[in-house]
Amino acid sequence: MMHHGRPAHALRAVGSLVFFIGILCLAFYLTDAAYARLGWHPHALLSLILNCFLGLFLMIALAATIGMIFRPRDRRRNAFSPITDALARIATGDFSIRLDENLRRHGVVGELVQSVNHMATKLDEMEKLRQEFVSDVSHEIQSPLTSIRGFACALRKDGLAPDDRHHYLDVIEAESLRLSRLSENLLKLASLDSEKVHFEPKPYRLDQQLRNLILACETQWSGKKLDMEVALDEATITADEDLLSQAWINLIHNSIKFTPEGGTVRVGLHRTADNWQVTIADTGIGISEEEQARIFERFYKADRSRRHSTGGSGLGLAIAKRAVELHHGSIAVRSQPGSGAEFTVSLPA
Ligand code: ADP
């Protein structure tokens, strides 16, 4: 940079000098022509003074004309003002603004226009997601609260049969549990999304973890008379045990939840060339292809009419996916409606 500065300075100085001399020569010829026409021959000193004044006047007039023609400041303000206006509107929360990219395709201004548009699009998407999230959460809170209020009112009735009373109290208890599970899951998701997620990978036996979790929910699968088939290779992995346990619990609970009585749930752990693969498969109701693309989204429940019987909030798979991705792994599903589902989690070995 230093080396480029000096020649540029010198060039500018020479340019100014030539300009200055040029202006003086012009002034000299102009005054000379004027004296000849008037037939007047002033003293040499007076002629020099007049020349200097005329030169100065010409220089100022020329500089002002050049300035008027190019007007660099105005031009710059015109090129940047739509961008600064757009940024000001984005700052006030208006993300719908888009600058016309056809006007400026090239150069710094073109790049700025594109990045402002890109930023506005991303912010717009985030805002829509946020609004959707708030509306989903409100909906999930509203429906159990409506049940609780309704059954609490019904409990006030005189002469209620003891069976009915028990049934109403059971519903109130179940719906309160659903609310507290929802808040627990929301907190889990928020912590998995935050930059400060508590992530402490340590070596541990994955096969033992899966076996313990299957045993811990024995009452659920044996209550439904499900056949639990377990085939686990011995595997030591370095991962955050609590986070992964959340993923396995959600996948195993879903398999149990969506498999009718007398069905089978299979949990397997095997090594492939680069990964440890955990498969959790069932012979349950299955998931259609369109639904498979969406089940990992927050609050998505395939077949909303089933929601009340299964009692989930649609956050389980979103949590499982996030926990697996934090371990640089992936999660996939294969299924045919009516003939079960198979979830495969791959973790780098
Ligand atoms: P939920 O709390 O509803 O279980 P999830 O995020 O765990 O939420 O699952 C989302 C949806 O994916 C479920 O509502 C269900 O429709 C579908 N699903 C998940 N696992 C299975 C499975 N093993 N068999 C059939 N459907 C499943």
Side-chain angles (χ1 to χ4, degrees):
M1 292 293 272
M2 292 287 285
H3 297 286
H4 285 264
R6 273 186 204 157
H9 254 79
L11 216 67
R12 217 174 296 150
V14 170
S16 306
L17 197 66
V18 170
F19 177 68
F20 186 67
I21 292 171
I23 291 284
L24 277 184
C25 291
L26 185 65
F28 173 76
Y29 282 112
L30 281 177
T31 43
D32 214 34
Y35 302 151
R37 185 159 263 228
L38 295 171
W40 179 44
H41 298 287
H43 189 270
L45 181 64
L46 184 64
S47 166
L48 192 70
I49 292 169
L50 284 174
N51 261 349
C52 280
F53 272 115
L54 187 66
L56 203 67
F57 173 76
L58 280 176
M59 212 143 70
I60 291 169
L62 212 67
T65 315
I66 291 171
M68 287 275 279
I69 292 168
F70 290 105
R71 292 165 73 165
R73 269 206 207 138
D74 267 15
R75 268 206 329 179
R76 214 168 292 158
R77 211 186 65 218
N78 287 343
F80 284 103
S81 59
I83 299 175
T84 47
D85 289 350
L87 288 173
R89 279 176 63 182
I90 289 171
T92 60
D94 176 4
F95 305 135
S96 62
I97 186 142
R98 297 290 177 277
L99 292 164
D100 186 357
E101 289 187 13
N102 288 326
L103 288 182
R104 298 258 167 196
R105 282 174 201 245
H106 309 292
V108 183
V109 181
E111 273 175 38
L112 259 174
V113 165
Q114 276 176 12
S115 60
V116 167
N117 281 351
H118 181 69
M119 179 172 75
T121 312
K122 286 280 157 208
L123 285 168
D124 210 12
E125 283 168 11
M126 274 168 61
E127 176 59 14
K128 284 198 180 102
L129 277 181
R130 190 189 68 81
Q131 283 171 0
E132 241 170 64
F133 184 78
V134 170
S135 110
D136 282 336
V137 172
S138 319
H139 181 261
E140 287 297 325
I141 291 172
Q142 203 51 50
S143 59
L145 278 180
T146 308
S147 292
I148 291 172
R149 205 169 49 236
F151 284 96
C153 272
L155 274 175
R156 281 221 187 89
K157 264 194 226 149
D158 294 328
L160 207 62
D163 275 0
D164 285 345
R165 175 186 297 274
H166 274 121
H167 172 61
Y168 296 172
L169 287 169
D170 282 348
V171 173
I172 290 175
E173 198 180 345
E175 294 296 271
S176 315
L177 255 174
R178 205 171 120 190
L179 272 178
S180 91
R181 257 203 318 265
L182 171 70
S183 101
E184 222 175 86
N185 280 337
L186 281 173
L187 280 176
K188 248 176 238 154
L189 258 184
S191 88
L192 286 173
D193 274 346
S194 87
E195 305 262 294
K196 294 179 221 107
V197 55
H198 190 71
F199 186 60
E200 253 183 53
K202 283 191 193 120
Y204 74 90
R205 284 275 298 274
L206 179 58
D207 52 318
Q208 281 176 3
Q209 181 188 34
L210 287 165
R211 200 167 284 114
N212 291 340
L213 291 173
I214 293 166
L215 284 174
C217 60
E218 188 179 351
T219 47
Q220 293 172 40
W221 50 267
S222 63
K224 278 181 95 173
K225 299 187 182 63
L226 299 180
D227 199 8
M228 182 63 80
E229 290 178 7
V230 182
L232 306 172
D233 288 352
E234 195 179 305
T236 300
I237 61 162
T238 302
D240 187 305
E241 203 168 345
D242 288 342
L243 276 185
L244 279 189
S245 133
Q246 204 52 63
W248 312 136
I249 290 174
N250 292 352
L251 290 169
I252 294 169
H253 280 188
N254 276 350
S255 288
I256 298 171
K257 195 159 72 173
F258 295 108
T259 304
E261 279 204 9
T264 305
V265 172
R266 278 181 290 111
V267 180
L269 167 59
H270 304 287
R271 173 81 199 243
T272 63
D274 308 312
N275 296 316
W276 283 108
Q277 234 170 37
V278 177
T279 47
I280 294 156
D282 60 58
T283 57
I285 58 173
I287 310 159
S288 72
E289 209 153 308
E290 308 93 86
E291 288 169 340
Q292 283 173 35
R294 301 202 54 196
I295 51 174
F296 295 100
E297 289 171 19
R298 280 147 206 225
F299 296 108
Y300 186 79
K301 296 167 217 165
D303 185 3
R304 296 205 155 223
S305 59
R306 279 203 315 252
R307 197 186 54 192
H308 257 285
S309 55
T310 56
S313 57
L315 292 177
L317 288 179
I319 291 174
K321 184 167 189 252
R322 194 77 190 99
V324 168
E325 282 174 352
L326 279 171
H327 289 86
H328 307 290
S330 62
I331 183 165
V333 61
R334 273 195 326 163
S335 177
Q336 290 250 311
S339 48
E342 181 181 87
F343 286 83
T344 305
V345 173
S346 299
L347 293 167

